[in-house]
Amino acid sequence: MTQSATAQEPAPLPEPESAAAPVPVPVQGAAPAPGAARPRLYVIDALRLCAALLVALHHYVGTWRVNQPHNLIWGRPSSDIFPNVFRVTSYGWIGVEIFFVISGFVICMSCWGRGPRDFFVSRVIRLYPAYWFGVLFTGAVLTLWPAVFKPPVSGRDMLFNLSMLQQGSHIADVDGVYWTLWSELRFYLVFLLVVAGGLTYRKVVVFCCAWGVAAALAPVAGLPALTLLADPDAAWYFIAGLALYLMHRFGQDMLLWGILGMSWLMAQSELAKRIDTVEHVSSWRGALLLYTVFLLFMVGVAVGLTDRLQWKWLATAGSLTYPFYLLHYAVGTDIIHYFRDAADPRLLVAAVIALMLALSYLVHRFVERPLSRLLKRGLTRSFARLGPAPSRRAAP
């Protein structure tokens, strides 16, 4: 990521169960009309898939190892092989930031009116089945056919990766893209505090402000625990997604525009840091332009301008996003490395993307869905032994 595609996100990236979003209420504080529902947000599936493809194209075409004279994927700088396409794909890394914003939007959507038990179960069954397969499959490929990436971890560290908590224990990821899951997990942890009390307009707004203050103070506070929970590198993207969902549910107001504006101001600084430290091949101006256009499009989604987009095939496409993201990097670059001299580079990239999408469908169909059903039954029975969950209803 599966459940509903209206609520799918990144990596990045799990989706909610509800297939339709509540009708937005123009008067702040009023509850949505009972039983009323907007059309399913298929556009969210389209955005997630586009973000995943952007990241993949960046890894395959739009980057190189700046400290080495030759690109280890192609044998020479990819900018020489794809001189025109490279200028665009060098910005593909911003797909991760797009994932984070969508995650904030859809997690808030999927949790509205639900308790912490449902939240926990939904996140486990969404995140872990495809991830477990990704760890084992990628580890096996890198062990048997090391090329661009040598086997990054020992057998015991690979097993620890199955917990998804390896970064918290300073253990290397089996695949480099897994770093985003650590940010997702921290977002779930802090947002669980709001879910436990029942989501309301007021509580989500307070959470956005409080988490934003923590994220702003963490870099100068010198408190590791605060930095760990505040996650200043990613928090503002999740906050933007939360504000956009409140616009979607309750309508626009000055406060929500203020939260969204502050998240944009803080995000532009984080984009600059990302470029300075990792993504040297792109510019701050270009990244900020792309991110701003995406946020404006999400505003259109929030206020209902895309509700008429009802292409049902996008639900299936969106379900491939999470396994595709988990599998595309290390395995895909290995394939390119081995076949780079036997095929046209453009056809090879297209073929690898098609292969990864096909593999992602198989993982979704034969790993995610059956394992998710099994986990959901087991966890539901386990929580039933704890007694009934406290009843609560969503309030404005």
Side-chain angles (χ1 to χ4, degrees):
M1 123 196 229
T2 159
Q3 294 92 297
S4 153
T6 48
Q8 292 180 331
E9 72 253 38
L13 336 174
E15 72 269 19
E17 291 78 0
S18 169
V23 174
V25 181
V27 179
Q28 194 292 104
R38 269 186 168 176
R40 179 175 179 148
L41 293 178
Y42 288 101
V43 68
I44 294 294
D45 295 289
L47 287 173
R48 293 179 59 246
L49 183 59
C50 288
L53 292 173
L54 279 175
V55 174
L57 286 171
H58 177 64
H59 288 149
Y60 297 162
V61 177
T63 189
W64 65 75
R65 295 192 175 193
V66 295
N67 295 324
Q68 298 182 0
H70 299 289
N71 185 288
L72 292 181
I73 302 174
W74 295 100
R76 62 189 192 275
S78 51
S79 57
D80 294 343
I81 305 172
F82 310 93
N84 296 320
V85 176
F86 179 84
R87 297 177 182 178
V88 178
T89 57
S90 64
Y91 291 94
W93 55 268
I94 205 167
V96 170
E97 283 68 22
I98 291 174
F99 277 135
F100 287 157
V101 175
I102 294 175
S103 182
F105 185 101
V106 300
I107 290 301
C108 195
M109 175 189 291
S110 66
C111 292
W112 209 274
R114 299 185 179 186
R117 293 184 183 183
D118 293 331
F119 177 75
F120 176 82
V121 172
S122 70
R123 292 310 91 201
V124 169
I125 67 176
R126 184 65 195 104
L127 282 178
Y128 278 97
Y131 175 75
W132 286 334
F133 178 87
V135 169
L136 297 176
F137 180 76
T138 301
V141 169
L142 294 184
T143 300
L144 296 174
W145 300 286
V148 179
F149 299 101
K150 303 299 185 291
V153 296
S154 64
R156 64 182 182 183
D157 287 346
M158 186 182 299
L159 288 177
F160 196 91
N161 265 245
L162 295 174
S163 71
M164 206 181 291
L165 302 176
Q166 61 273 12
Q167 289 205 9
S169 299
H170 303 290
I171 292 174
D173 294 309
V174 169
D175 191 315
V177 299
Y178 296 168
W179 71 267
T180 60
L181 300 176
W182 183 235
S183 287
E184 290 278 347
L185 287 175
R186 285 181 285 173
F187 168 52
Y188 298 160
L189 176 63
V190 295
F191 195 61
L192 178 61
L193 300 176
V194 190
V195 174
L199 295 182
T200 67
Y201 172 92
R202 183 180 300 106
K203 289 178 181 178
V204 176
V205 166
V206 170
F207 171 79
C208 289
C209 296
W211 199 28
V213 168
L217 295 179
V220 296
L223 300 174
L226 178 62
T227 301
L228 179 66
L229 293 177
D231 193 10
D233 295 335
W236 292 103
Y237 303 114
F238 293 116
I239 289 172
L242 294 172
L244 286 164
Y245 177 68
L246 291 181
M247 285 186 183
H248 177 73
R249 187 180 180 92
F250 296 102
Q252 307 171 60
D253 61 38
M254 186 69 73
L255 183 56
L256 295 180
W257 274 108
I259 294 173
L260 188 62
M262 181 59 72
S263 73
W264 179 86
L265 289 173
M266 301 302 287
Q268 63 85 24
S269 178
E270 293 303 322
L271 291 174
K273 292 177 184 176
R274 178 97 178 261
I275 291 169
D276 291 341
T277 57
V278 181
E279 307 297 345
H280 305 280
V281 295
S282 46
S283 72
W284 169 80
R285 289 183 179 85
L288 182 60
L289 175 62
L290 289 173
Y291 182 69
T292 303
V293 170
F294 162 71
L295 278 189
L296 291 175
F297 186 85
M298 282 297 296
V299 171
V301 174
V303 300
L305 297 183
T306 62
D307 285 354
R308 291 187 177 182
L309 182 62
Q310 292 293 298
W311 300 339
K312 296 183 179 181
W313 62 269
L314 287 174
T316 300
S319 68
L320 309 183
T321 303
Y322 183 49
F324 177 83
Y325 177 81
L326 294 173
L327 297 170
H328 82 274
Y329 185 34
V331 175
T333 53
D334 248 24
I335 295 173
I336 290 173
H337 175 84
Y338 279 112
F339 290 93
R340 67 191 183 193
D341 297 324
D344 177 88
R346 291 167 181 80
L347 291 178
L348 179 56
V349 169
V352 170
I353 290 177
L355 177 63
M356 290 295 104
L357 287 172
L359 177 60
S360 300
Y361 174 78
L362 294 176
V363 172
H364 169 65
R365 179 67 178 82
F366 297 106
V367 177
E368 273 195 304
R369 289 168 61 177
L371 272 182
S372 294
R373 288 193 293 266
L374 182 64
L375 286 172
K376 185 174 183 178
R377 285 198 299 267
L379 289 172
T380 300
R381 291 171 181 168
S382 298
F383 279 123
R385 300 180 66 183
L386 298 176
S391 61
R392 62 168 57 83
R393 63 179 183 87

